[in-house]
Amino acid sequence: MSTTPSSKKPKHFLLATFPALGHIRAEAGIVCELVKLDAHLLFTILIPKPLAPIITQELEQWSVTDEHLARIRIIGIGKSGKPDPDKAFEWMLEVVKEEATDLREAYQTIIERGSLTCTMTGTVFDYQRIAPPSTVFFDMFAPELAPYVKETTPKVKIINIWVTTSAFILSVHGKEEHGGLYGWDIRTKAVFERGEDGGRTFDEVARSIGTKPNTGRLLPNADGVRLFDYEAGTNGAVLLPISLLMGALFQATRLADASITATTSVFEPASSKLLQDWYEGELGKKVFNFGPLVPFSAAPYKAPTLAAQGPFQPIFEFLDSHPPKSVMLVSFGSIFFPSQAWQLEAIFKTLMETHMPFITSRAPALYQPLGPELEKTIKDSGLGLIVDYVPQRDILTHPSLGSFLSHGGNNSMFESIAAGVLNIFWPFDADQPIHAAYMADVIRTGEAAQPPARGGKIEGSPAALTAEFKQIISEIKGDVGERKRKNLMALRQQTFNALKEGGEVQKDMRACLHLASGEV
């Protein structure tokens, strides 16, 4: 990647993160790509204390040099310790509350050219000779600082980061005709002004407006992807606080000067254009497609970036002991996990019965223990490996990995595309159902493709789940699996082309850099 021909004047940007691994990974990519594009750019990252080492590791995944890393300041803020594994989700929400004050104090110190101490490493960062940031990049779920930035430094630009796809953004932040909640706060306040609240709290009224009953209707989608309302977020939804959701909407649609997406028009051409037309045409804000915010190499398989030693050694030994495309990874990201024990029991027993080797982990915040009996059965079978944490990208790019049972989060979906690995979707909430619908449509296309199997009676039973999963495994191992892998590799190549020099993503990154630098 070449450096963009921008001004030689020193530049300073700031990033405020959200304490979720998937978001941190994507935002590490944004920082690295922009720093690589401009040799005069300094980036300050404000991140909750225990996550500082994680983003340090993530930065190193993006082919950065020591010179690039020297222009990235990682500053742990707050006093939070590592989360209790049994209360990781609650810890995340507590950190968000704590972070609001810490971010304001840190930002004030930076614009006053003082010194900040990383609460994780003790490193002192001096800002006396560094100009205050011209732009602050905010995670979509870090809205607490944005109003303070606009109030204290009105000339500083705000760039919102949507760590997701255009179709999902429209379904949440878009207008009502897009299926979104644009103007959610105004509509909620209007209920109280009309005296129609009925004694309900603000949150109760807001949630009633934001939650529509399932009637079997198709949700709006510019690309023609079919997703019914009852398919979107009904499998163990996580309810984030209204203040966080509404703040995210306010930040993206009113406070921000621009937004970044983690997608490309190759993946969703019509939705990408619709978001751009609405966001730029009606709201007067820029939107930049930064593409899949996961490392994307020319070849799908590569050597592990993490040493196959220590805690990861058993994982790579397990993979090395199996033939190509034979192992399934069962992983639901850093938060989600099936809430009913019988579901995963049926999945794992089916994998063992069909002699499909697999790897899974106990890492998600909502993890439910499998029970000692099932864990012993899996271990004794020699077919399954249960670990505390999986280095997902390295596992996906191993030649022995052939399929991936996942929740369908943005990073997991694009990591599987980058690795050329078939994804079996088990969506829970948020953008996961729409990603599953998109990928099912894209990968199903071609000669002998069948329409989506939807609309039939769903029997929520171990027998029904076992039968369906056996069919999926059979297809993966046969002609259907080969056809879908061919379609997947075609999508992979199209996505890679969008990321190359001169492609859509590079053009948008440069345009974002110019905007953030005040050069447009």
Side-chain angles (χ1 to χ4, degrees):
M1 181 186 299
S2 62
T3 300
T4 189
S6 61
S7 166
K8 294 183 179 181
K9 181 181 178 182
K11 305 171 186 67
H12 182 198
F13 300 162
L14 186 145
L15 168 67
T17 62
F18 176 70
L21 181 58
H23 290 234
I24 290 169
R25 281 180 168 169
E27 286 152 6
I30 291 173
V31 171
C32 287
E33 292 304 303
L34 293 179
V35 164
K36 286 189 286 186
L37 279 174
D38 194 318
H40 305 282
L41 172 60
L42 171 73
F43 229 118
T44 294
I45 301 174
L46 300 179
I47 188 166
K49 172 186 173 182
L51 300 177
I54 294 175
I55 199 166
T56 301
Q57 295 172 1
E58 290 301 322
L59 293 172
E60 295 170 353
Q61 305 293 314
W62 286 88
S63 303
V64 287
T65 65
D66 289 343
E67 189 279 328
H68 296 138
L69 292 173
R71 292 187 284 112
I72 301 173
R73 294 185 165 192
I74 301 170
I75 304 179
I77 60 173
K79 300 177 181 178
S80 297
K82 291 183 178 180
D84 179 340
D86 296 328
K87 297 180 179 180
F89 186 72
E90 292 83 352
W91 172 87
M92 182 179 71
L93 296 181
E94 283 301 315
V95 168
V96 170
K97 291 180 183 178
E98 176 187 289
E99 190 181 35
T101 300
D102 295 328
L103 282 171
R104 285 194 293 270
E105 292 177 353
Y107 183 72
Q108 191 65 38
T109 298
I110 290 173
I111 64 175
E112 292 176 354
R113 303 197 180 199
S115 297
L116 276 178
T117 301
C118 174
T119 55
M120 185 68 197
T121 64
T123 304
V124 178
F125 295 93
D126 185 9
Y127 284 88
Q128 183 177 357
R129 298 185 178 182
I130 296 174
S134 61
T135 295
V136 181
F137 291 72
F138 288 95
D139 183 283
M140 59 190 288
F141 287 137
E144 296 290 343
L145 180 59
Y148 183 78
V149 169
K150 278 299 183 186
E151 178 185 342
T152 56
T153 50
K155 291 184 179 180
V156 170
K157 290 185 176 64
I158 288 177
I159 296 184
N160 172 69
I161 302 173
W162 281 313
V163 189
T164 186
T165 50
S166 297
F168 181 69
I169 293 164
L170 286 164
S171 74
V172 177
H173 287 179
K175 296 191 296 185
E176 193 167 2
E177 64 195 65
H178 304 145
L181 288 168
Y182 179 64
W184 190 14
D185 55 337
I186 296 172
R187 290 158 60 189
T188 302
K189 291 173 184 176
V191 171
F192 287 89
E193 291 170 358
R194 295 193 301 266
E196 298 174 357
D197 53 286
R200 293 174 294 171
T201 65
F202 184 89
D203 282 13
E204 289 170 341
V205 172
R207 203 170 286 282
S208 70
I209 292 173
T211 307
K212 296 179 180 178
N214 293 333
T215 60
R217 62 190 172 87
L218 278 171
L219 298 177
N221 182 270
D223 291 291
V225 171
R226 292 167 61 83
L227 185 71
F228 293 94
D229 54 10
Y230 54 81
E231 296 179 294
T234 57
N235 191 12
V238 173
L239 297 179
L240 292 173
I242 289 292
S243 59
L244 190 62
L245 296 172
M246 200 170 278
L249 180 59
F250 185 81
Q251 173 177 288
T253 58
R254 296 193 214 168
L255 288 180
D257 298 283
S259 279
I260 290 170
T261 73
T263 186
T264 168
S265 62
V266 166
F267 183 74
E268 43 178 352
S271 292
S272 182
K273 185 177 186 305
L274 180 59
L275 176 62
Q276 187 175 39
D277 289 346
W278 168 63
Y279 201 66
E280 296 189 3
E282 294 188 32
L283 301 186
K285 305 173 185 295
K286 292 290 185 181
V287 59
F288 304 108
N289 288 340
F290 270 43
L293 288 167
V294 300
F296 218 103
S297 59
Y301 304 116
K302 58 184 179 65
T305 55
L306 296 170
Q309 303 293 328
F312 300 125
Q313 185 172 351
I315 296 175
F316 293 108
E317 288 178 349
F318 183 87
L319 288 165
D320 290 341
S321 68
H322 290 89
K325 298 180 181 179
S326 64
V327 180
M328 179 181 291
L329 174 62
V330 181
S331 179
F332 304 103
S334 58
I335 296 177
F336 295 91
F337 200 79
S339 59
Q340 300 183 59
W342 67 264
Q343 295 174 322
L344 269 185
E345 183 175 351
I347 291 294
F348 291 142
K349 285 184 176 180
T350 302
L351 287 168
M352 289 185 283
E353 288 173 13
T354 56
H355 304 286
M356 171 77 82
F358 64 94
I359 299 171
T360 190
S361 87
R362 308 179 183 92
L366 299 176
Y367 175 75
Q368 299 292 324
L370 301 179
E373 186 175 338
L374 179 57
E375 287 211 17
K376 184 177 185 302
T377 300
I378 292 171
K379 182 179 180 180
D380 292 346
S381 74
L383 287 166
L385 181 66
I386 305 173
V387 294
D388 291 329
Y389 175 80
V390 290
Q392 184 167 291
R393 283 194 296 257
D394 291 298
I395 291 175
L396 287 173
T397 55
H398 193 286
S400 295
L401 210 287
S403 54
F404 180 24
L405 176 58
S406 94
H407 62 315
N410 203 74
N411 288 351
S412 291
M413 176 181 67
F414 281 120
E415 283 173 2
S416 68
I417 294 173
V421 171
L422 282 183
N423 212 321
I424 304 163
F425 289 94
W426 187 336
F428 294 84
D429 196 15
D431 53 4
Q432 301 153 26
I434 200 162
H435 291 166
Y438 263 87
M439 287 296 287
D441 278 4
V442 171
I443 304 306
R444 185 185 294 105
T445 57
E447 187 177 352
Q450 298 297 314
R454 294 182 189 159
K457 182 180 179 182
I458 297 176
E459 299 178 21
S461 68
L465 177 57
T466 298
E468 183 177 356
F469 199 51
K470 280 184 177 179
Q471 181 182 350
I472 290 172
I473 292 172
S474 175
E475 290 180 351
I476 286 173
K477 294 180 176 180
D479 293 341
V480 173
E482 284 306 305
R483 173 173 56 80
K484 291 184 176 180
R485 284 190 180 90
K486 186 181 296 185
N487 292 337
L488 175 62
M489 293 308 290
L491 174 61
R492 185 193 187 282
Q493 186 60 50
Q494 292 169 356
T495 306
F496 181 68
N497 290 342
L499 294 169
K500 291 194 298 187
E501 188 71 32
E504 170 199 358
V505 170
Q506 287 295 306
K507 290 178 181 177
D508 273 17
M509 284 183 177
R510 283 185 166 84
C512 178
L513 180 59
H514 286 307
L515 175 70
S517 303
E519 296 174 359
V520 292

